[in-house]
Amino acid sequence: MNIQNYINGQFHNPASNDWIDNYCPANGKVYGQIPNSSKADVENAYIAAKSTFPTWSQTTLEARSRILIKISELLETNLQRFAEAESKDNGKPVSLAKTIDIPRAASNFRFFGNAITQFASESHESVGLDAINYTLRQPIGVVGCISPWNLPLYLFTWKIAPAIAAGNCVVAKPSEVTPMTAYLLGEICTEAGLPKGVLNIVHGLGTTTGQAIIEHPDIKAISFTGGTTTGAHIAKVAAPLFKKLSLELGGKNPNIIFADCDYDDMLETTVRSSFANQGQICLCGSRIFVEASIYKKFKTDFIKKVKQLKVGHPSKEDTNIGALVSKPHLEKVMQYIAIAKEENGMILCGGNKMTITGYENGYYLEPTVIEVSTDECRVNQEEIFGPVVTMMPFNTEDDALQIANKVKYGLSATLWTNNLKRSMRMSNQLQSGIVWVNTWMLRDLRTPFGGIKASGIGREGGFEALRFFTEAKNVCIKY
Ligand code: NAD
């Protein structure tokens, strides 16, 4: 099946007629093609967005809200179709796409459809100077949204929804590895009555289509989620053009487990935070640190549970772990397993590719647990982004804090303890944008979301996102 660009409310082939193969990770077969859009396609998308901006930015908040909520409802109506498409494109279990990815994409539109009706600006009375200041929050104009392959529609819509809710028009590019649900979203937007040109979706490689978006002199803001190296490149290109930037990048998140935690809850959640979505979530707790007094017990119990996870075809109901997203990604993850062995890491379970009968060319890998003797080894420092976690014991709270913070990343951290003072002390000192205590990935869309250090700049979520997608203009009136 061939995917097309969605520009000015209509589907188009790429101007250059340049196409890329789209693979199904579950069987390794090409099942369609996607445009590798050029500068000309991005320019067409920009022109459509620019010409609609004067009308869309003046559309009432109620009318915008109604359309966003309609998109949300249509996604819910089409849940099964979208979940199957997401699974086929990405390799994740259909059950996961059906319970997490697509419902969350629908929530993104509903949430920002509601949030925009509550978004307010400030006023300041300059007492003694006979003046009043009020702050306008004006949409930026045409903005660019670029997203990765791990949570395709979920993260694509996490950017698009606040951008259009705030009155911007968008040129958006999903990952070329997982373009399908972004393609289907175009149909939904048309059906929901989104005026043509408000959202334009161009497909293609980062180095061609993505590059054309970030270099475009009149696309005034870029909201990007993806790898840290790509983020650094985008920052370099965008800086001299003075674009507003939001960068949500990689992570190497610590999962710190103290002996006084609720053990069963911790164990079950740790299996999830290690391997959900084949470990391909930027928030996965890929470094597990366990207090020495329970290390042995944890190791036995954790390995037992991990071995029970079923790797299988994504469409099967009982599959816990589907296929990795692509062949190059599977090879990258396998390389890290080889590095772990070279570094004297102990493979406690997994470590091998898997063959699923009937789908022999799919990209399957056993969930892998590596015991490391030092936090400084490469598998403990570099983002692997697959079903691979490391574990090691720690002795004191200070030790745990030190090793948790001793990476270049700072996205999220998970802490398991029932000691209130310790949880507050550590939450204050953990170097990450998000800390979960006694839970993982519990999301409230109003909260700021993002990382520090090499995990990015800026925050998404709630009013933070609406602030990013607007320019503040202060008006001072003397009376
Ligand atoms: P990636 O950086 O390779 O690609 C992300 C997107 O950027 C894709 O759409 C790609 O085509 C585009 N791109 C690549 N080069 C570009 C360029 N020169 N100009 C413009 N766009 C370009 O990342 P990926 O492999 O798709 O995703 C995995 C990474 O994303 C991991 O590092 C993961 O941690 C990160 N991630 C972060 C978050 C977060 O919220 N912090 C969430 C999910 C994923």
Side-chain angles (χ1 to χ4, degrees):
M1 172 182 184
N2 278 12
I3 278 174
Q4 292 177 300
N5 290 329
Y6 178 70
I7 297 176
N8 211 23
Q10 287 186 327
F11 288 98
H12 298 271
N13 286 339
S16 57
N17 211 22
D18 186 6
W19 299 85
I20 320 166
D21 287 340
N22 191 19
Y23 287 83
C24 171
N27 60 21
K29 289 189 183 145
V30 172
Y31 80 104
Q33 294 203 307
I34 76 162
N36 186 20
S37 305
S38 60
K39 266 190 173 181
D41 300 299
V42 170
E43 187 59 24
N44 287 340
Y46 167 74
I47 289 167
K50 185 184 169 211
S51 52
T52 309
F53 178 69
T55 329
W56 181 245
S57 56
Q58 291 306 311
T59 299
T60 64
L61 301 185
E62 286 71 18
R64 283 187 220 158
S65 172
R66 255 199 315 276
I67 294 171
L68 265 81
I69 288 168
K70 184 73 187 161
I71 296 173
S72 164
E73 287 166 357
L74 288 171
L75 281 172
E76 281 163 352
T77 312
N78 286 278
L79 174 66
Q80 187 67 27
R81 178 174 170 234
F82 271 75
E84 281 171 13
E86 198 72 296
S87 167
K88 187 168 181 181
D89 220 21
N90 173 280
K92 67 179 70 209
V94 175
S95 56
L96 188 77
K98 215 170 150 182
T99 49
I100 305 282
D101 293 74
I102 309 306
R104 171 58 193 274
S107 300
N108 289 340
F109 281 107
R110 177 170 288 110
F111 176 84
F112 284 107
N114 287 320
I116 195 61
T117 67
Q118 306 298 312
F119 188 46
S121 60
E122 294 173 318
S123 68
H124 300 87
E125 189 182 359
S126 301
V127 177
L129 297 175
D130 294 344
I132 180 107
N133 293 271
Y134 63 91
T135 309
L136 296 172
R137 280 267 162 198
Q138 297 179 318
I140 297 169
V142 180
V143 300
C145 297
I146 301 177
S147 59
W149 49 256
N150 64 322
L151 301 166
L153 193 67
Y154 175 135
L155 290 174
F156 195 56
T157 56
W158 181 232
K159 299 179 177 307
I160 290 167
I164 64 179
N168 300 284
C169 293
V170 175
V171 177
K173 190 193 94 60
S175 169
E176 63 276 22
V177 185
T178 53
M180 186 54 83
T181 48
Y183 168 62
L184 299 178
L185 180 67
E187 284 174 20
I188 296 269
C189 288
T190 301
E191 197 182 337
L194 187 71
K196 57 185 189 177
V198 174
L199 172 62
N200 303 277
I201 303 169
V202 280
H203 296 272
L205 297 173
T207 44
T208 45
T209 320
Q211 187 70 22
I213 295 174
I214 62 172
E215 285 177 351
H216 197 292
D218 297 315
I219 295 181
K220 288 295 182 197
I222 303 287
S223 175
F224 169 79
T225 299
T228 294
T229 310
T230 316
H233 169 76
I234 292 175
K236 227 186 257 176
V237 173
L241 297 167
F242 306 107
K243 289 180 198 279
K244 240 180 148 179
L245 267 192
S246 169
L247 301 174
E248 300 294 337
L249 310 177
K252 190 75 184 173
N253 312 308
N255 179 7
I256 307 164
I257 299 166
F258 284 91
D260 68 357
C261 68
D262 288 341
Y263 189 84
D264 292 346
D265 187 16
M266 173 280 295
L267 189 63
E268 199 170 306
T269 310
T270 295
V271 173
R272 232 169 20 91
S273 68
S274 303
F275 298 112
N277 202 41
Q278 297 69 246
Q280 302 166 146
I281 303 183
C282 54
L283 305 164
C284 277
S286 52
R287 296 180 294 147
I288 305 177
F289 300 119
V290 188
E291 193 167 10
S293 61
I294 58 160
Y295 186 72
K296 218 171 138 200
K297 176 175 166 49
F298 173 80
K299 186 161 126 181
T300 310
D301 296 344
F302 184 59
I303 299 300
K304 191 172 160 204
K305 285 230 172 238
V306 174
K307 284 187 171 162
Q308 286 165 2
L309 291 173
K310 183 149 188 316
V311 180
H313 191 271
S315 66
K316 298 259 160 63
E317 268 302 312
D318 62 347
T319 291
N320 302 115
I321 298 190
L324 269 67
V325 75
S326 68
K327 196 165 182 212
H329 189 58
L330 172 66
E331 276 156 14
K332 178 195 146 185
V333 176
M334 285 302 296
Q335 250 173 31
Y336 272 106
I337 295 173
I339 290 169
K341 289 177 187 161
E342 280 163 26
E343 289 179 324
N344 297 321
M346 180 80 80
I347 312 292
L348 299 178
C349 74
N352 303 302
K353 284 187 199 171
M354 280 191 69
T355 305
I356 306 294
T357 312
Y359 310 101
E360 285 76 8
N361 293 322
Y363 316 134
Y364 300 95
L365 177 64
E366 294 171 339
T368 302
V369 181
I370 306 169
E371 185 174 50
V372 293
S373 53
T374 161
D375 63 293
E376 283 172 357
C377 55
R378 281 185 65 190
V379 283
N380 230 47
Q381 291 288 323
E382 298 174 21
E383 188 184 42
I384 301 175
F385 214 57
V388 178
V389 288
T390 64
M391 58 183 280
M392 64 179 280
F394 68 83
N395 289 312
T396 65
E397 186 180 316
D398 275 353
D399 290 347
L401 201 55
Q402 253 203 31
I403 51 180
N405 286 341
K406 217 179 350 148
V407 287
K408 70 174 183 176
Y409 297 105
L411 186 55
S412 71
T414 307
L415 194 54
W416 291 94
T417 177
N418 276 319
N419 181 327
L420 177 65
K421 287 187 180 174
R422 172 159 60 205
S423 73
M424 295 185 74
R425 266 195 311 270
M426 289 199 69
S427 299
N428 275 342
Q429 292 180 73
L430 279 164
Q431 294 172 0
S432 64
I434 299 152
V435 179
W436 277 296
V437 182
N438 298 329
T439 184
W440 176 71
M441 224 171 141
L442 193 161
R443 294 282 292 118
D444 180 326
L445 302 190
R446 293 168 301 178
T447 58
F449 178 92
I452 60 171
K453 295 158 73 177
S455 291
I457 49 172
R459 292 292 178 274
E460 297 185 320
F463 291 153
E464 297 278 349
L466 294 176
R467 283 188 203 107
F468 174 76
F469 283 116
T470 50
E471 288 286 7
K473 180 191 283 175
N474 191 66
V475 181
C476 176
I477 302 176
K478 177 120 171 79
Y479 51 84

